[in-house]
């Protein structure tokens, strides 16, 4: 990814494909508890969406499109991963019993919320942060 | 979680908040924000002071990992209240002192973060009822004290001292963990209370002796007992408030706490009694002897602390004898425990004050070297008064509190020979002699300290700063401690029933009710005569110190433990370098050969020693598209092996990966297929990125021998993998675990996707640490690449890639 490539078709399509993959990643992440998917796969898909941008354009454009410090994203993910099991202490349960008595709380009709989702979100962020950090580190290294 | 748990965790919580606060706000000295924390905790624990008087043990539990036996339960009795009040009480004074000692230019955020972390860890140590929890906090004290000692990290000596203390205390900590595991195996519980109740079973267990030795090593390293004492003098490189706090009042007393806490379990053993007593006395005599020759004020105090800790240790050792007696005779030895507890408090007061005075002198005059100091009495009259009072207390001069506990100590040592067990009746006569010699040297260095600093000739030219009296804020905490020295000396019994008696009951629950009554006059006792001998001989030695201090020069350098410690550190770094260099060649293929060879050998060995049958029955039929996939995988593998182009091999590798993903699809594992697909995509992209930067591959360099070797290894690995797969399939000794998950996945976790539920719930702990590993790996790769860039820029581009 040293120099900007000029493949207009690829670049134009990459943006659309990236968006589609991201939507798919989000849907797979949220559905993870009931259908195949979850934080890990969601995270991987998310990173592959980012990578497509990287391949089609270059790292500079990638950084402009996703202006996050991905090391910080990893840290946030790990923070969620640790915080969620600790949450269970606040209602006097043992470590990692984040679900007991908490599931099936309808907020809007059919939607349920689940503390496992927070944990899964942590995994997702950790995966995204780590893979993009590695890829950016290698890609920027000339 | 109860209020008491919050109180223990409060310093740890603030340890996180304080540095953040410091970043945004540094108008007022940070210490003022920290000060309320120990004060609040102190007053909270003071409100529980009458709790240990009730018959039932006071235990608050909070289960957080019950399967592991790791519960945060708090055991509140006399001993823990005594220590908790020392930690928070002295802690508050130290924070107050540090406000004027450390200027706002220092990295205060770090300092108070470490200090609070330490305070919380220490509270955890003395209040935990669970051994695992105690161990966790125990190691946290080691780490936080390491950070505190290395606080002035630009100084070489700080780093050396911090490293030394960490190595020694963590070594002890690991021993302690072993000891705790032995204890829990013997007593079948992690709770100290129930272990003490089951002391009989533990004593008959084969683990008893291991548990005792290991726990004692842990306690001895932490309390700087001979021969582990060498770290404490070097730890004096820490800022003085830290020395006053960690190295006089709290951390070094953790070992004493542990010995006291486990006395009810171990007291049955002669080994325990003799080890604790003997090591304590050796430490007392050796450290007090060495304290006299120190040239640094803090050095004197460090050795003095070591010797005083030894003294308390030896009293606990003799006190444990009371386990073997009852009634009147038991009281005789119980007096030793009373003396130990009383001296513990007294030592915290006078040594804390002395450290603060030393810090004050250092701060106002600019040096701690006694050769440069002298004649400060008229310039620093208030500090001088405080020092004289506290130093006299340390020397054991009436009417201060040190005298009372020193006399109780001598009484205990003189009484030791009354026991007709464990050869105390004969060897016991040695104890008072050793104790007297130790006390004489204590007297000498206490007097020397005062004399060298405040009397003699004032040498203004030698001092870096112009001397003047310390500011009020610095004198206040010292003054409070000095006042306590006087109050506890004049009215010793104000502590008897509130603090000392419950603590003694906690250390010796086997004995009858302790009769704590401390008084000045016992009649003409051996102890009184001993005290008079100490004063007379001590004064004579002090006067003639210039004549006899040449004997210190006869002590050869290569016979000290410090010397061997340094040699050991050098040797270990040399050896590890040698060993590492012998197998780290820098070629990835060498490492891969190690890994594969190990794998092949282990598999072959296991197959030879445990022959297993490979069952071919019950194998499902092979469907046509599986054959096609198989063919695809084989073809692409051969392409990788034979290809000349790097890009082509990467794409073929991806083809293998995608075909495996298709296998998952056919076998009905959509989760695995999804993961495999995305992993394959990302790793291919990564490979493409990596190889883009590599130089052109050249395969013609490899000779035939090398190729055959690789070929053999890869064939063997393939056979081993196939063998393992077939064996794993053919040998099913247990029912599959999947039944449990299928049954419970909805009821217990409200999920329908089993894989995800296992990941986030049933085996969430694994996932938690896997994510951590992932994060660490990512950061590792990031730093490696970034650091290599830096190196490249420095020495003009060195190509490592060619070796891959």
């Amino acid at each position: 990814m040293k120099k900007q490539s000029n493949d207009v078709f690829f670049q134009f399509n990459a943006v659309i494909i990236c968006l589609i993959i991201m939507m798919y990643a989000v849907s797979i992440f949220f559905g993870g508890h009931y259908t195949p998917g979850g934080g890990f796969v969601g995270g991987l898909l998310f990173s592959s969406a980012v990578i497509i941008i990287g391949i089609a354009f270059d790292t500079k454009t990638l950084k402009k499109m996703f202006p996050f410090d991905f090391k910080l994203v990893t840290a946030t993910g790990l923070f969620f991963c640790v915080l969620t099991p600790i949450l269970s202490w606040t209602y006097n349960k043992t470590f990692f019993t984040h679900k007991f008595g908490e599931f099936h709380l309808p907020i809007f009709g059919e939607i349920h919320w689940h503390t496992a989702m927070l944990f899964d979100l942590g995994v997702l962020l950790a995966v995204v942060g780590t893979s993009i950090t590695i890829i950016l580190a290698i890609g920027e290294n000339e | 979680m109860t209020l008491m748990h919050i109180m223990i965790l409060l310093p740890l919580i603030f340890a996180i908040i304080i540095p953040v606060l410091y970043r945004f706000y540094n108008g007022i000295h940070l210490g003022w924000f920290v000060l309320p924390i120990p004060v609040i905790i102190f007053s909270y624990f003071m409100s529980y002071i009458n709790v240990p008087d009730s018959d039932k043990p006071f235990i608050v539990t909070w289960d957080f990992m019950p399967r592991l036996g790791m519960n945060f339960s708090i055991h509140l009795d006399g001993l823990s209240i005594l220590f908790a009040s020392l930690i928070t009480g002295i802690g508050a004074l130290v924070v107050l002192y540090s406000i004027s000692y450390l200027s706002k230019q220092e990295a205060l955020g770090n300092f108070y973060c470490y200090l609070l972390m330490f305070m919380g860890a220490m509270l955890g140590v003395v209040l935990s009822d669970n051994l695992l929890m105690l161990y966790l906090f125990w190691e946290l004290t080691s780490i936080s004290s390491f950070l505190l000692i290395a606080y002035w990290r630009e100084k070489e000596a700080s780093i050396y001292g911090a490293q030394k203390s960490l190595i020694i205390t963590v070594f002890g900590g690991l021993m302690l963990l072993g000891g705790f595991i032995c204890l829990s195996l013997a007593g079948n519980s992690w709770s100290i209370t129930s272990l003490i109740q089951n002391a009989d079973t533990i004593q008959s267990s084969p683990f008893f002796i291991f548990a005792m030795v290991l726990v004692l090593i842990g306690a001895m390293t932490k309390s700087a007992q001979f021969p582990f004492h060498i770290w404490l003098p070097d730890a004096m490189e820490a800022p003085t408030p830290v020395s006053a706090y960690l190295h006089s009042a709290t951390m070094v007393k953790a070992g004493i706490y542990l010995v006291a806490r486990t006395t009810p379990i171990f007291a049955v053993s002669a080994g325990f009694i003799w080890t604790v007593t003997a090591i304590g006395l050796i430490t007392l005599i050796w450290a007090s002897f060495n304290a006299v020759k120190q040239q640094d004020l803090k050095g004197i105090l460090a050795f003095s602390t070591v010797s005083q800790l030894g003294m308390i240790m030896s009293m606990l050792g003799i006190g444990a004898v009371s386990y073997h007696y009852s009634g009147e005779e038991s009281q005789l030895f119980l007096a030793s425990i009373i003396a130990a507890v009383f001296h513990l408090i007294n030592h915290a007061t006078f040594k804390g004050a002395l450290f603060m005075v030393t810090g004050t002198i250092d701060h106002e005059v600019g040096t701690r070297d006694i050769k440069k100091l002298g004649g400060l009495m008229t310039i620093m009259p208030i500090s001088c008064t405080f020092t004289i009072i506290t130093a006299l207390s340390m020397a054991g001069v009436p009417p201060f509190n040190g005298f009372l506990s020193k006399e109780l100590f001598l009484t205990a040592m003189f009484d030791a020979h009354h026991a007709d067990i464990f050869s105390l009746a004969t060897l016991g006569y040695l104890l008072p002699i050793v104790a007297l010699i130790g006390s004489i040297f204590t007297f000498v260095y206490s007097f020397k300290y005062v004399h060298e600093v405040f009397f003699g000739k004032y040498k203004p030219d030698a001092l870096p700063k112009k001397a003047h009296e310390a500011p009020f804020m610095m004198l206040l905490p010292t003054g409070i401690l000095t006042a306590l020295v006087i109050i506890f000396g004049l009215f010793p019994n104000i502590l008897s029933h509130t603090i000392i008696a419950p603590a003694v009951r906690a250390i010796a629950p086997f004995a009858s009710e302790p009769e704590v009554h401390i008084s000045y006059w016992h009649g003409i006792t051996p102890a009184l005569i001993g005290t008079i001998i100490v004063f007379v001989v001590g004064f004579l030695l002090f006067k003639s110190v210039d004549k006899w201090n040449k004997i210190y020069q006869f002590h050869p350098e290569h016979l000290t433990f410090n010397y061997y410690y340094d040699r050991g550190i050098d040797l270990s770094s040399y050896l590890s370098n040698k060993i590492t260099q012998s197998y780290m060649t820098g070629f990835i293929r060498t490492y891969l050969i190690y890994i594969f060879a190990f794998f092949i050998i282990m598999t072959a060995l296991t197959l030879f020693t445990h022959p297993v049958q490979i069952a071919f029955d019950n194998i499902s039929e092979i469907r046509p598209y599986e054959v096609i996939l198989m063919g695809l995988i084989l073809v692409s593998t051969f392409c990788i092996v034979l290809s000349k182009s790097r890009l082509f091999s990467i794409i073929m590798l991806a083809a293998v990966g995608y075909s495996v993903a298709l296998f998952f699809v056919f076998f009905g594992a959509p989760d695995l297929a999804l993961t495999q697909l995305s992993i394959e995509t990302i790793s291919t992209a990564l490979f493409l990125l990596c190889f883009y930067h590599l130089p052109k591959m050249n395969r013609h360099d490899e000779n035939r021998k090398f190729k055959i070797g690789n070929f053999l290894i890869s064939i063997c690995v393939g056979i081993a993998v196939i063998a393992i797969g077939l064996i794993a399939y053919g040998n099913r000794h247990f029912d599959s675990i999947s039944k449990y998950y299928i049954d419970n996945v909805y009821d217990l976790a409200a999920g329908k996707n089993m894989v995800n539920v296992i990941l986030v719930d049933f085996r969430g702990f694994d996932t938690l640490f896997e994510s951590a590993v992932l994060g660490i790996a990512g950061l590792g790769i990031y730093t490696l690449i970034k650091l290599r860039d830096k190196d490249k820029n420095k020495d003009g581009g060195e190509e490592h890639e060619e070796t891959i």
Side-chain angles (χ1 to χ4, degrees):
Chain A
M1 283 186 262
K2 201 185 277 177
K3 50 191 177 293
Q4 170 101 39
S5 66
N6 279 325
D7 195 335
V8 180
F9 295 108
F10 184 35
Q11 286 181 351
F12 181 75
N13 284 323
V15 177
I16 296 168
I17 292 170
C18 169
L19 274 176
I20 292 172
I21 297 180
M22 272 185 182
M23 307 253 266
Y24 182 53
V26 168
S27 113
I28 255 191
F29 164 68
F30 279 111
H33 221 59
Y34 299 97
T35 50
F40 190 69
V41 185
L44 285 175
L45 281 172
F46 214 91
S47 340
S48 50
V50 178
I51 288 176
I52 284 187
I53 296 290
I55 291 175
F57 299 88
D58 57 0
T59 31
K60 243 183 217 157
T61 325
L62 194 156
K63 274 192 165 169
K64 222 180 264 170
M65 282 172 138
F66 303 95
F68 315 109
D69 183 354
F70 283 96
K71 296 186 289 302
L72 213 64
V73 174
T74 316
T76 321
L78 291 179
F79 183 69
F80 271 104
C81 280
V82 176
L83 197 73
T84 317
I86 286 178
L87 269 182
S88 52
W89 288 344
T90 56
Y91 48 90
N92 269 329
K93 289 283 180 190
T94 57
F95 199 61
F96 246 117
T97 44
H98 46 235
K99 266 152 250 154
F100 280 118
E102 285 266 316
F103 48 88
H104 286 321
L105 274 184
I107 299 169
F108 317 107
E110 286 297 301
I111 298 166
H112 301 285
W113 70 272
H114 212 301
T115 46
M117 194 66 95
L118 280 177
F119 183 75
D120 228 11
L121 181 68
V123 175
L124 178 128
L125 290 177
V127 169
V128 172
T130 309
S131 43
I132 305 288
T133 306
I134 295 173
I135 287 163
L136 278 183
I138 293 172
E140 280 172 355
N141 169 50
E142 311 226 330
Chain B
M1 189 139 79
T2 60
L3 187 59
M4 198 173 280
H5 290 104
I6 295 173
M7 281 294 162
I8 294 177
L9 297 177
L10 194 65
L12 295 176
I13 297 166
F14 269 88
I16 301 169
I17 298 173
I18 285 290
V20 180
L21 186 76
Y22 179 65
R23 236 172 136 163
F24 297 107
Y25 184 79
N26 47 13
I28 302 174
H29 196 286
L30 198 60
W32 291 113
F33 296 102
V34 181
L35 188 60
I37 300 161
V39 173
I40 289 167
I41 306 172
F42 181 73
S43 27
Y44 176 78
F45 280 110
M46 279 295 116
S47 71
Y48 278 90
I49 201 149
N50 289 320
V51 168
D53 275 337
S54 59
D55 295 328
K56 270 196 293 181
F58 184 90
I59 294 181
V60 213
T61 36
W62 169 27
D63 299 344
F64 69 75
M65 290 187 202
R67 292 280 176 87
L68 292 175
M70 193 160 173
N71 303 322
F72 195 176
S73 31
I74 297 175
H75 180 214
L76 204 65
D77 62 2
L79 190 62
S80 36
I81 286 196
L82 162 68
F83 270 90
S85 51
L86 272 184
I87 292 158
T88 49
I90 306 272
L93 293 176
V94 164
V95 172
L96 185 63
Y97 179 79
S98 68
I99 292 174
S100 48
Y101 185 84
L102 292 170
S103 72
K104 275 198 239 169
Q105 275 79 43
E106 307 260 10
L108 291 178
N110 297 1
F111 179 77
Y112 286 111
C113 172
Y114 305 155
L115 196 73
L116 285 170
M117 203 159 92
F118 173 78
M119 193 184 286
M122 204 58 212
L123 278 175
V125 167
V126 300
L127 288 160
S128 299
D129 184 50
N130 188 282
L131 287 177
L132 285 174
M133 223 47 214
L134 199 160
Y135 172 72
L136 193 80
F137 284 119
W138 181 277
E139 291 294 38
L140 192 57
T141 63
S142 296
I143 293 165
S144 51
S145 74
F146 166 78
L147 291 169
L148 280 169
I149 295 168
Y151 174 64
W152 283 321
R153 58 178 178 272
E154 63 277 6
K155 285 204 298 187
E156 191 111 336
S158 297
I159 294 168
Y160 174 77
Q163 188 200 32
K164 199 174 193 177
S165 78
L166 189 73
I167 287 176
I168 292 179
T169 51
V170 167
F171 159 76
L174 288 174
M175 296 290 130
L176 187 70
L177 179 63
F180 283 168
I181 292 171
C182 287
L183 263 185
S184 83
L185 284 175
N188 201 19
S189 165
W190 288 103
S191 154
I192 297 174
T193 330
S194 71
L195 284 174
I196 290 173
Q197 277 157 6
N198 295 333
D200 299 333
T201 12
I202 297 172
Q203 282 150 11
S204 55
S205 151
F207 292 113
F208 177 71
I209 190 82
F210 293 108
M212 189 183 84
V213 171
L214 292 172
V215 168
L216 276 182
I217 291 176
M220 297 295 173
T221 48
K222 200 68 153 186
S223 274
Q225 297 295 293
F226 187 87
F228 304 115
H229 66 280
I230 51 169
W231 68 266
L232 201 106
D234 286 306
M236 288 301 137
E237 290 302 328
T240 305
V242 174
S243 310
Y245 192 36
L246 271 66
H247 308 128
S248 75
T250 54
M251 185 177 88
V252 287
K253 291 204 167 96
I256 287 173
Y257 167 80
L258 196 69
V259 171
R261 180 56 89 204
T262 50
T263 297
I265 302 172
F266 295 133
V268 70
S269 149
F272 178 78
I273 291 167
W274 270 111
T275 319
V276 174
T277 314
I279 296 224
L281 284 174
I282 292 170
T283 313
L284 165 68
I285 196 167
W286 180 245
S288 60
F289 174 69
N290 271 309
V292 181
K293 77 164 178 184
Q294 298 301 315
Q295 295 296 320
D296 180 4
L297 288 182
K298 265 180 154 184
I300 299 179
L301 292 182
F303 275 100
S304 145
T305 304
V306 173
S307 79
Q308 303 276 322
L309 292 171
M311 180 174 155
I312 300 172
M313 250 340 161
S314 66
M315 287 192 268
L316 285 176
I318 294 296
V321 178
S322 62
Y323 181 86
H324 301 271
Y325 291 90
S326 60
E328 193 68 20
E329 281 172 308
S330 178
Q331 280 301 327
L332 191 65
F333 299 107
L334 207 58
S336 182
I337 297 183
I338 297 171
V341 173
F342 189 42
H343 194 69
L344 194 78
I345 304 168
N346 294 341
H347 177 250
T349 54
F350 66 68
K351 192 57 67 64
L354 276 171
F355 265 116
M356 288 180 184
V357 167
T358 310
T360 311
I361 293 166
D362 194 11
H363 199 260
E364 302 307 326
V365 179
T367 182
R368 299 195 307 256
D369 190 345
I370 55 172
K371 277 189 186 141
K372 296 181 185 163
L373 293 165
L376 290 176
M377 182 165 67
T378 48
I379 301 163
M380 305 174 80
I382 305 172
S383 301
C384 175
T385 319
F386 292 162
T387 314
I388 290 176
I389 292 169
T390 46
L392 286 181
S393 175
M394 181 161 74
V397 176
F400 306 115
N401 58 3
F403 164 71
L404 298 166
S405 45
K406 183 66 65 81
E407 196 155 73
L408 286 172
F409 165 62
L410 290 176
T411 315
M413 290 301 142
F414 277 111
D415 286 344
H417 69 89
H418 284 296
D420 47 7
I421 44 169
F422 307 145
S423 11
L424 273 170
T426 48
L427 275 173
Y429 282 104
L430 275 175
L431 302 183
I433 298 169
V434 179
L436 279 180
I437 298 172
S439 302
I440 288 169
F441 282 113
T442 309
F443 187 90
V444 175
Y445 70 67
S446 305
F447 269 65
K448 188 184 167 196
Y449 183 93
V450 177
H451 181 263
E452 297 287 338
V453 178
F454 293 104
F455 295 87
K457 228 177 104 233
Y458 177 50
K459 290 163 256 184
D461 302 336
L463 302 177
K465 285 188 196 168
K466 196 176 173 323
H468 54 83
E469 184 55 273
F472 173 73
M473 284 312 299
M474 223 165 192
L475 292 172
L476 180 65
T478 325
I480 293 171
L481 283 177
T482 314
L484 286 178
V485 168
I486 302 171
I487 292 168
F488 293 160
L490 293 178
F491 314 102
N493 289 310
I494 54 170
L495 294 174
S496 299
H497 297 290
T498 44
I499 299 263
I500 298 178
V504 174
R505 258 205 306 276
I507 299 173
F510 40 78
S512 49
E513 185 69 14
E515 296 159 13
V516 184
H517 183 75
I518 300 159
S519 60
Y520 278 100
W521 184 251
H522 302 273
I524 309 287
T525 54
L528 184 68
I529 297 166
T531 312
I532 293 167
I533 293 173
V534 169
F535 288 173
V536 172
V537 180
F539 193 70
L540 289 177
L541 280 179
F542 164 66
K543 275 287 158 196
S544 60
V545 70
D546 293 332
K547 296 196 182 69
W548 58 268
N549 70 4
K550 285 191 186 59
I551 57 166
Y552 289 110
Q553 288 159 12
F554 292 118
H555 186 59
E557 209 249 331
H558 65 270
L559 274 182
T560 54
F561 287 100
N562 251 327
Y563 177 81
Y564 287 111
Y565 168 81
D566 290 339
R567 287 287 85 72
I569 292 290
D570 288 349
L571 190 73
S572 68
S573 82
Y574 170 78
L575 277 181
S576 61
N577 243 335
K578 276 266 159 217
I579 295 170
T580 314
Q581 274 164 11
S582 69
Y583 68 88
M584 296 289 274
T585 55
F587 292 98
I588 281 184
R589 59 166 173 257
T590 327
Y591 307 146
L592 287 180
I593 288 174
Y594 294 147
I595 295 167
F596 288 138
F598 183 76
F599 174 68
I600 295 163
I601 291 169
M602 286 319 283
T603 319
L605 273 182
T606 327
L607 285 181
F608 274 119
T609 49
H610 303 276
V612 279
Q613 289 199 328
I614 297 175
F616 285 101
D617 54 321
N618 201 16
I619 285 180
S620 62
E621 56 174 321
I622 299 168
R623 289 168 289 186
Y625 36 76
E626 285 157 18
V627 179
I628 300 169
L629 267 183
M630 201 57 224
L632 260 179
I633 289 178
L634 279 177
V635 169
S636 12
T637 317
F638 273 109
C639 287
I640 297 173
V641 175
L642 299 176
S643 86
K644 295 264 183 277
S645 145
R646 191 175 271 144
L647 192 69
F648 186 61
S649 350
I650 295 169
I651 290 167
M652 283 301 118
L653 197 63
V656 175
Y658 284 127
S659 317
V660 172
L662 275 180
F663 262 120
F664 290 137
V665 172
F666 290 136
F667 291 143
D671 263 290
L672 282 179
L674 248 176
T675 315
Q676 174 73 23
L677 276 174
S678 21
I679 286 267
E680 208 49 56
T681 314
I682 289 188
S683 56
T684 308
L686 259 179
F687 268 129
L688 286 172
L689 271 177
C690 281
F691 283 99
Y692 180 82
H693 297 291
L694 293 189
K696 280 271 177 293
M697 189 166 57
N698 194 356
R699 297 190 90 153
H700 300 291
D701 292 351
E702 297 152 359
N703 56 23
R704 189 173 291 274
K705 206 174 139 197
F706 176 78
K707 273 185 177 169
I708 291 175
N710 278 4
F711 180 72
L712 276 178
I713 289 173
S714 45
I715 292 288
C716 286
V717 170
I719 293 172
V721 170
I722 292 170
I724 290 174
L726 286 174
I727 292 163
Y729 186 78
N731 292 271
R732 295 237 164 125
H733 298 294
F734 306 101
D735 290 336
S736 167
I737 197 169
S738 57
K739 183 88 176 69
Y740 171 82
Y741 290 132
I742 292 167
D743 290 347
N744 291 306
V745 84
Y746 195 76
D747 301 333
L748 292 181
K752 284 176 188 149
N753 176 12
M754 202 169 86
V755 179
N756 189 264
V757 170
I758 291 172
L759 279 178
V760 298
D761 189 6
F762 288 124
R763 308 207 56 82
F765 216 54
D766 286 355
T767 316
L768 172 63
F769 284 109
E770 273 158 19
S771 318
V773 168
L774 195 70
I776 292 166
L779 278 184
I781 293 172
Y782 179 79
T783 22
L784 279 179
I785 289 175
K786 290 286 156 188
L787 278 183
R788 201 194 52 170
D789 277 1
K790 238 187 216 164
D791 277 356
K792 249 185 183 174
N793 294 339
K794 226 189 296 170
D795 36 74
E798 191 188 343
E799 294 287 323
H800 291 290
E801 291 97 333
E802 278 171 333
T803 56
I804 293 171

